Amino acid sequence: MHRIIIKRAAAAACLAALAACAGMGGNRDKAGMQMPGKTPADAAVAATWYNPPSEFPGICLTQFKDGSLRFDGGFAFYNPGRWAYDPATSELRLALAPTPSLELSHAQIVQHKNLLRIEADKNTLIYAVQADTRAIGLGGFMFYRDMPCPPRRG
């Protein structure tokens, strides 16, 4: 009898721990993860960053409130990605799909606007982002915040 009670108590404790872990990272409420600044019109989107076309086609970086991120128009090799924002430190973390060139392409941190550091072992770029941050540098390209991305094709 005591074994059954202990097993049930252990199972309940594990479920409580899993529920607590699921709530970490700001996903607990229906609003999802938030970014400082303007709120996008699309309820599923936390933020967009756009590198307008010049020599290359435009590249859109979309951060979704569920913590995922996606590149369209270029940099598809970084998909799928994840993001997190820490309001206490004003740090935006972009965890990108593994690529051997991540550290090399961002080695000159001073050339990448607002890039604080690279965690190459985690394929993560960490940026300083506040409500008034207008742009970030990624892979040698400048991505502007709140600039509308063209509609996706296909």
Side-chain angles (χ1 to χ4, degrees):
M1 180 72 156
H2 291 333
R3 283 186 186 174
I4 293 172
I5 293 171
I6 291 171
K7 285 182 182 179
R8 286 184 183 165
C14 284
L15 287 174
L18 287 173
C21 287
M24 293 177 77
N27 280 349
R28 199 165 187 177
D29 62 5
K30 290 184 180 187
M33 295 200 314
Q34 300 292 316
M35 284 287 293
K38 286 170 74 176
T39 303
D42 185 338
V45 174
T48 58
W49 304 84
Y50 188 58
N51 172 261
S54 57
E55 305 176 36
F56 300 98
I59 305 169
C60 185
L61 165 58
T62 305
Q63 293 172 242
F64 295 95
K65 288 185 179 179
D66 68 358
S68 64
L69 66 83
R70 182 184 68 225
F71 287 91
D72 293 302
F75 286 175
F77 49 85
Y78 285 139
N79 291 332
R82 304 283 306 160
W83 71 275
Y85 182 74
D86 182 351
T89 60
S90 299
E91 289 184 353
L92 172 63
R93 301 175 65 82
L94 302 181
L96 307 173
T99 176
S101 63
L102 181 70
E103 191 169 29
L104 181 61
S105 66
H106 293 84
Q108 298 297 323
I109 288 180
V110 295
Q111 294 178 350
H112 290 85
K113 188 170 181 87
N114 297 321
L115 182 60
L116 297 174
R117 63 187 177 281
I118 303 162
E119 293 178 357
D121 59 326
K122 297 177 185 172
N123 295 301
T124 301
L125 303 172
I126 296 97
Y127 294 89
V129 174
Q130 297 178 345
D132 62 348
T133 301
R134 300 302 314 146
I136 59 174
L138 198 150
F141 292 84
M142 193 61 58
F143 286 77
Y144 298 95
R145 186 171 190 182
D146 300 328
M147 205 173 189
C149 295
R152 276 182 64 196
R153 293 186 210 162

